[in-house]
Amino acid sequence: MSDAAAAPNYKKTLNLPQTDFAMKANLVQNEPASIKRWGEGDLYGRLRSLGADRKRWVFHDGPPYANGSIHLGHVLNKTLKDIVVRSRTMMGFDVPYVPGWDCHGLPIEHKVMADLIESGKVEKLNALEPDARRMAIRRACLDYAMKQVKLQRGQMERLLTIADYDNPYLTTQPSYEAGVLEILAELVEQDLVYRALKPVHWSIANETALADAELEYMDREDLSVYVDFEAADAGAVYAAFGVDDVARDERELHATPSFMIWTTTPWTLPANCAVAVHERTEYALARIDGNITVLATNLVEAIAKIGKAEDVEVLATAPGKALLGLRYRHPFVTDVPACGLGRELDTAKTWSIVAADYVTTEDGTGLVHTAPGHGQDDYNTGVREGIPVYCPVQGDGTYDQTVPAWLRGMDIWKANEEITRHLTESGHLYHAQRFSHSYPHDWRSKTPVIFRCTEQWFVAVDKPTRHEGKTLRRLALDAMERVEFIPAWGRNRLRGMLESRPDWCISRQRTWGVAIPAFETPEGETFMTAASVRAVREVVREKGSDAWFQMSPADLLARYAPHDGPAPDPTTLTKGYDILDVWFESGSSWNGAMRARSDGADFPMEVYLEGSDQHRGWFQSSLLCALGMTGRPPYKSVLTHGFMVDKDGKKLSKSKGDTVEDLFKKYGADVVRWWVASLSYEGEMKVDDEFFKLAGESYRKVRNTVRFMLSNLSDFDPNRDRPEAPHPASLDAWILGEYELVASDVIEAYEQYDTKAAHHHLYNFCNDALSAVYLAAVKDRLYCDRADSPRRRQTQAALYDVADGLCRLIAPILCHTADEAWRALRGIDAGDARTSVHAEKFIHSFHTKRDQAWPSVFKAREAALVALERRRAAGGLDNALDAGLVVPDPADDLSRFDPTDLADLHGVSRFRVDQSAKEVLAEDLREEPYGFARCDRSWRRDGTVRQRSDGGALCDRCADAMGV
RNA sequence: GGGCCUAUAGCUCAGUCGGCUAGAGCGCACCCCUGAUAAGGGUGAGGUCACAGGUUCGAGUCCUGUUAGGCCCA
C-alpha cells in the first residue's frame, strides 16, 4: 500500500474527453461553411415556413446607403439587428427580415459623374438631348448602385446575418418607387405640398444649384464693409437704451443713431431685409467720432481702432432683447417686393431688428446683416419672422429689375465695388477693408459660388391634415407619447427636433432619383394633383422612375381619368425635373417595402433600430411619411445606438484601423459579434485592436467550456442512457437549476434588447457555474466511474441538457459557433443542411427540483477555499487531493448533501461536516493515522484504497470500474 | 453657440425607490494542477464614483455649475 509503488498506468482505462469539436475555432475557414450550409438548407425560408402558427413580429431594416464597403458602424448596426431577429425567432415569433438599400441620391450620382469626367465620356454625354443625357447618367448610376449592393450584401452575409438577401428591397425598384409616389399623392391630396423659395448654393458659371458635396472651400479675398444703417425712429433707439427725452436734452444727444453691420458680401446688401442681434448679448450706444451708433459692447474698442477713430464713448448699454422691433432705413433701397412664397409676410418687419441665436461677437459688429434670399441662417430667420425672402440676383449672377436703377443688370462681383463706392458717397460706410477667408467654390469650375433662392417643393408640417385636422407636427408630437424609445431619451431628442423643424424641403435639382411628377402649363402654371401623381405612379409601378425621363407628358398621364377632375391638355404640358429628397424615399420604406409585400398587414413595425443620427434622418422622415398617409407612426419602438470612438474616446478617423474584412480575417465574425454584444451601445463605444483580442479570449473561454461538455458526451445517447430526474441535492440538479436561472436572465435581456446583459450572463455562466464549479466537480465521476454507472449517466444527462440549452442561448450572438456545437452535440451529419440550432426555440426550463440549501453550500465553500489556500500557502499541502475539509454547519444545512459531491465541489478527497466546529479545518490526509492512501487511478485519497489483483492500489469505485 | 447624451478599479461594465464596508469579469500579483493542456483551478491587491457647490439624518444615485468627450444642428 505504498504511494511510491510502481503501479499500472491507468490513463487508458479512464473515460477521457473526446470530441471532434476543435479547441481552435478556425473561424476564418469555418464560418463560410456555415454560411454555405444555411444557404443550401434555405434557413431563411425554413424559418418563414415555421412561422405558420407563430405570432408575427416584424423587424424593419433601415436601408444603408449603397456606397462603399461596410464599416464598423454597419457591423454594429447589423449585428444588433441580427441578434434581435434571431433571438425573437428563438422565442417563438415569426420574424421576417427584409434587408434594404438606399440606392438613389447625390453621393452615387456624384461618384458616377466624377468617373464620367475622368474617363472623358462626359463630353459625349453633354452632346445628348436632355432626357437622353439624364437617362445615360441614370443607367450609369443604377449600374454603380447594384455593384455596391452586391458588395455590401456579401460583407453582411460574411457577418453571419440572416435575412432575405435574395429578395431585398431597393429604393430603385419600380414597386418601391410606386410606394413612394403613393405617399406623395396622399400628401398632395391633403394640400400639404407646396412650392416656395429656398436658398441654395448656386454656381454662376454652370447656372446650377450645387450640393454640399460639390463644394470646395478655398481662400478668397473679399471686400468687407462696416455699414451704418440709419435708425427710422431716433427716440425709440434712445429709449431702448434707457435714455429718455429729458436725458437726451441734458446730454445734447440730438443725432440720429445708426445700427452698424458688417458683411463680406456687399453685393447682398440690396437684398437686406433685417438686422439680427442676439437677445442675450450686450449692445452699446456708442459715440464714435461724433456719430452715434449701436454695436456689441465688447467690440466697441476693436471697431474704433479699425476705423482709426479718436473720440470713442459708450453712452449706454442694453441687451439685444431691448432692441428687437426697432426699425432702420435701408441705405439705398426704398422698396422690397413681397416675395416669400408659401408664407404670410409681415411687411412691418422689413428693415427691423430681429433676434437670431447664431449671432456672435467673434467678428463683425454683433449686428448681422440679414438677407433671407442669400443665406441659410438669414433664410431661416426670414421665414420665422415673416419677412420677405428677397433674391434680386438672377441665375447668371446679375441683378434683376427690382433693384435701384444704378445696379440693374450689374454683375454681382462688380457690384461689390460699386456698392461700396455708393455707400462711401452717401456717408453710410464706416470702414472698408480687404478680408481673406475660406469661401465655397464650385468643384468643377473652381469659381466662387453664391447663396441664391430658388423655387423648391416643401411638405408643410403646420397645415391641418385629414387626420382629425391635426398638423403633421402635432401628429408627430402626439405619436411620441405612444412610441417606446430605447433608451428613453430618444423621445426627448426626437421631440425637440420635431418642435423646431421647418417645413420639409423634398425637392432636389438632380437626376438620380424619383422625379417629382409636376408638369408645367404653357402659362407657367404648375400642374400636380393627387390624381395626376397617382396616374404617373401607375406608369412608374410598371416601368420604374425612368419612365418620367423617357415618356411624354401625355403618355405619363394616360391613366388620368376624366372624373379625376379638370386637367390641362396633356399635349401642351412640359415635365419638371426636380427629384425627391432621398430621405423622402427611405422614409417611405414602411410602405414601399413592408406594406407592399404583406398586403398592408405588416404595419406598424415592431421596431426600428438605427444609430442616433437617424433622429434627424430616417426616424423622422419615416414618421412624417407614415403620419401623413395613415395618421399612425410606422414603428412601435425606436431603438438607437451610439457611435464608435477610438480608445481615447475621440472621434474615429476613417482612414485608421482595420477594415471590416481585415477583422473577419483576423478574428472571425463570431468574435466580432461577441464583441458587439458586449458593448454599451447606447453611448459611445471605444474600439481598438486590443478589444477584439480580449473578445477573442473570452470567446475561447465559452468555446472551451462548450467543448468540454461535448467531449464528455461522446459515449452518451440521450434516448438510451437518460436516467430519472436528478436528486434535488445532487450537483446535477444544481447545474440544471443554474441553467434555468441564466436562461431566464438571458432571454429577458434579449427581450429588452440588452445584448450586453445577455453577453455578461452567458460568459459568467460558462466561466463560473460551469468551468470553475460544476465541470471541475464532476470530472472525477466522468473520468473514473464505470462508463455506464448511474452517477455518470446522470451527470452526462445534465451536461447534455445544459449544452443543448446553452447552444441555443448563445446562438443569436455566436451564430456559427452555436450551430457548429449544437450539431456536434446532436451528432448531425455534415451533409445535413436542413438542421440548425437557429430553427430551434430557447429552452427555458428542465423543471428541475433543487434543494433549498444550495446557497449555504456555496457560502461554506467560499470559506473552505480560503482555508485550503491558507493551508497550501503554509506549505506542504499543494495538491488539493491530498487534503480533506472539516466544515462547520451550525444550521445543519449540509448533512443532506452527498459528502462525495461536496468533496468534488472543493476538489478535495474528503469532506466532513462538523456541526460543532467554529471554523473550517483543512487537513492533510497523508497524516491520517489510518493511512488514507492515494488511488493510483483516480488520484483521490480514500479509506477504500487497497492493493488489487492487477497490481494497482485502487479505491472500491475504481476497482469496480476496472472489474478487478 | 443650441438640443440630446456620456463620465464608477489599469480595461469593459453592474449598481433598482437616496439607505450596511460601492460589486462582477478581464488584466495584474502570488500559488496549485498537468487526465479540458496553445487548456483548467485557487487566493489576493486595486476605487476621493470626472471636478466644484447645493438639497438631505444620509448622495455613486437628486439639483446647479464646470471640465472632457460623442451625435445632431447652427
Side-chain angles (χ1 to χ4, degrees), chain A residues 262-281:
Chain A
W262 175 76
T263 179
T264 57
T265 52
W267 63 267
T268 62
L269 285 171
N272 173 279
C273 292
V275 165
V277 297
H278 196 287
E279 289 186 321
R280 293 196 298 275
T281 298

Side-chain angles (χ1 to χ4, degrees), chain A residues 743-850:
Chain A
S744 155
D745 285 343
V746 169
I747 293 167
E748 190 187 337
Y750 283 140
E751 273 169 1
Q752 297 174 351
Y753 311 108
D754 191 348
T755 58
K756 187 177 59 192
H759 174 278
H760 177 81
H761 286 125
L762 285 167
Y763 180 77
N764 282 349
F765 179 65
C766 290
N767 198 20
D768 298 347
L770 282 173
S771 189
V773 180
Y774 180 72
L775 297 178
V778 297
K779 257 194 227 181
D780 173 78
R781 66 195 56 177
L782 288 168
Y783 293 180
C784 304
D785 276 13
R786 217 178 56 223
D788 62 353
S789 86
R791 185 169 78 159
R792 181 164 181 273
R793 290 302 190 209
Q794 189 72 260
T795 290
Q796 284 183 308
L799 280 181
Y800 186 91
D801 289 342
V802 169
D804 189 6
L806 180 61
C807 283
R808 298 173 196 227
L809 289 177
I810 62 174
I813 302 172
L814 301 176
C815 43
H816 156 76
T817 304
D819 206 24
E820 187 192 16
W822 191 79
R823 290 164 62 87
L825 177 72
R826 294 282 174 127
I828 292 162
D829 188 78
D832 177 2
R834 297 192 53 81
T835 309
S836 166
V837 70
H838 298 293
E840 303 296 318
K841 288 185 186 171
F842 291 134
I843 298 171
H844 292 254
S845 172
F846 299 113
H847 311 288
T848 313
K849 290 196 179 62
R850 278 215 294 188

